[in-house]
């Protein structure tokens, strides 16, 4: 499947119309194509998101269980909107910088259903990134001091070994 979702949905829609009426339950691809928002909204299947983000379906289901994602269900098939896709991207990006699931949920919940909390969300991100930067700079200063001390010890030991020989 294509990573953008558009080509795969179009090809799935074409494939869905070619299916005989006696076909068994529709595939996930067919379900996504059949329920595509005609106003131009893209829908994605779980496999598409897995490929695009390099994660497993189990990981996506885990984020659903934690209340971070809430896809539509069409006959048992998960159908993800552009909003779900954007939320997944934010979840993965937040995890990459060390945010906990609770922090991620709070951040996502600030947005609201129609973006009414966008300003609060931005302020939260600003505060959290300021805190993270300060913490990392403090850790870097500690690491630099530790490295300097280790270099002093290393040079002293090298000097002692050179005299012993």
């Amino acid at each position: 499947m294509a990573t953008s979702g558009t080509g795969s949905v179009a090809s799935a829609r074409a494939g869905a119309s070619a299916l005989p009426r006696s076909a068994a339950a529709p595939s996930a691809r067919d379900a996504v194509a059949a329920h595509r928002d005609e106003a131009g909204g893209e829908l994605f299947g779980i496999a598409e998101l897995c490929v695009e983000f390099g994660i497993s379906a189990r990981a996506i289901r885990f984020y659903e269980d934690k209340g971070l994602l809430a896809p539509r269900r069409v006959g048992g098939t998960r159908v993800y909107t552009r909003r779900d896709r954007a939320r997944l991207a934010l979840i993965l990006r937040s995890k990459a910088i060390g945010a906990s699931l609770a922090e991620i949920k709070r951040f996502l919940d600030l947005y609201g259903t129609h973006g009414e909390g966008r300003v609060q969300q931005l302020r939260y991100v600003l505060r959290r990134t300021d805190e993270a930067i300060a913490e990392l700079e403090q850790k870097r200063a500690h690491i630099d001091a530790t490295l300097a001390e280790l270099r002093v010890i290393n040079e002293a030991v090298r000097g002692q070994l050179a005299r012993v020989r």
Side-chain angles (χ1 to χ4, degrees):
M1 291 186 155
T3 57
S4 69
T6 306
S8 60
V9 171
S11 62
R13 181 174 278 158
S17 62
L19 288 175
R21 291 230 175 238
S22 63
S27 69
R29 188 182 313 213
D30 297 335
V32 168
H35 290 85
R36 183 162 190 246
D37 178 6
E38 293 304 324
E42 295 176 273
L43 295 179
F44 307 90
I46 194 167
E48 283 179 288
L49 295 179
C50 290
V51 169
E52 180 175 353
F53 292 105
I55 60 175
S56 68
R58 185 176 181 180
I60 293 175
R61 289 189 301 270
F62 173 78
Y63 297 136
E64 288 176 34
D65 290 343
K66 296 299 179 184
L68 301 174
L69 293 173
R72 297 181 200 169
R73 296 210 183 245
V74 178
T77 300
R78 290 171 170 84
V79 178
Y80 299 87
T81 63
R82 289 180 57 143
R83 182 175 191 263
D84 295 321
R85 183 176 167 270
R87 286 175 69 96
L88 181 57
L90 288 170
I91 291 165
L92 296 175
R93 192 168 185 190
S94 298
K95 282 188 54 60
I97 62 169
S100 69
L101 291 177
E103 287 176 311
I104 295 169
K105 181 158 179 35
R106 181 166 188 264
F107 167 75
L108 292 173
D109 289 348
L110 284 172
Y111 188 75
T113 54
H114 301 291
E116 62 274 7
R118 183 72 176 139
V119 172
Q120 292 88 346
Q121 194 180 43
L122 291 172
R123 286 185 180 132
Y124 176 78
V125 169
L126 184 61
R127 189 180 75 248
R128 271 298 287 129
T129 55
D130 282 344
E131 291 168 359
I133 289 168
E135 182 181 326
L136 288 171
E137 285 176 344
Q138 187 177 36
K139 286 179 180 180
R140 180 171 50 191
H142 179 71
I143 289 170
D144 289 343
T146 303
L147 282 170
E149 183 63 26
L150 288 170
R151 286 185 179 107
V152 167
I153 293 168
N154 187 284
E155 280 301 312
V157 170
R158 285 182 191 277
Q160 288 176 2
L161 282 174
R163 285 191 295 272
V164 172
R165 291 185 188 171

